[in-house]
Amino acid sequence: MNGNGNGEAATSAAQNEDAPVLRLTAQPVSVPPAFRLAGRAARPDGTVVEAGSVPIGNGRAVIMAGPCSVESREQILAAARAVKAAGADMLRGGAYKPRTSPYDFQGLGEQALEWLAEARRATGLPVVTEVVSPEDVELVGEHADLLQVGARNMQNYALLKKLAAAPWPVLLKRGPSATIQEWLLAAEYLLAGGNPNVVLCERGIRTFETAMRNTLDLAAVALLKELTHLPVIVDPSHATGRRSLVAPASRAALAIGADGLLIEVHPSPQEALSDGAQSLAPEEFRALMTGLRQSALAASV
Ligand code: PEP
Ligand code: MN
């Protein structure tokens, strides 16, 4: 240390801004923040993601609805017309289905994508659908408006890197056992790779509780609003696994600040090839939408 110990060094350092200063007060250690791009500080006013013509994150709740799986042309067209009539903003439907059992319905792939695109033309509803493999990103992007990364694939880094370089917005579901930090770091992969259009989706996590399919972590939505600028939606269907709980969970999700909902609706839930127990019939979905509008949780259409 320069100086004679009676304060001259500090005085001369203050006069010369380039001189090193020994600070005696505690300073935060300067390390790069983990969420360099996803963190709220990067965009304090929040991000609005455009999916087709639909803005997500602008304060108006976006309702995405449709069957778990695309099962036939008639089924997806009927579902699309029903959810559109009830006031949905977007159509969902799985073409590639990541199923727990290899013996369960695996989805109709490219054929289903073509029917989804037809349903989009028929109703004007933008489409959200899952992409499971990096090789399918281009094909799915040609038929859909928002590409879903399913819960099981949240940490599929090859898929995230492929989507990071793609021109389509991404719906990133929370992994069944993912912490919020892991989830945001998965989003960081997309942002760091060049894709700024990321929407997060809380769909329930695995806990000790088995009474419901998953445990809906609603407080995570409020916490994410503090931690990140990215829009956050909630999937009450996979979170609860029970048709009767979808409406109350939807109301709670919007009340706590979710930017939208992803809801399974099937023209005939008892005949669904996947997730029938949590799928709403069209009239149940209509009643839910009416209730959301009456309580001002969703805007009038
Ligand atoms: C789905 O949306 O149909 C789905 C498979 O959801 P998750 O990835 O959340 O299980
Ligand atoms: Mn499903």
Side-chain angles (χ1 to χ4, degrees), residues 68 92 97-98 130 148 150-152 173 203 235 238 264:
C68 178
R92 69 148 285 152
K97 297 302 303 176
E130 179 162 355
Q148 176 173 321
R152 294 160 186 79
K173 285 193 150 196
R203 47 75 76 199
D235 173 348
H238 293 87
E264 287 188 338

Side-chain angles (χ1 to χ4, degrees), residues 165-182:
W168 301 288
V170 176
L171 180 65
L172 181 64
K173 285 193 150 196
R174 182 180 186 177
S177 300
T179 64
I180 287 170
Q181 166 141 334
E182 289 163 341

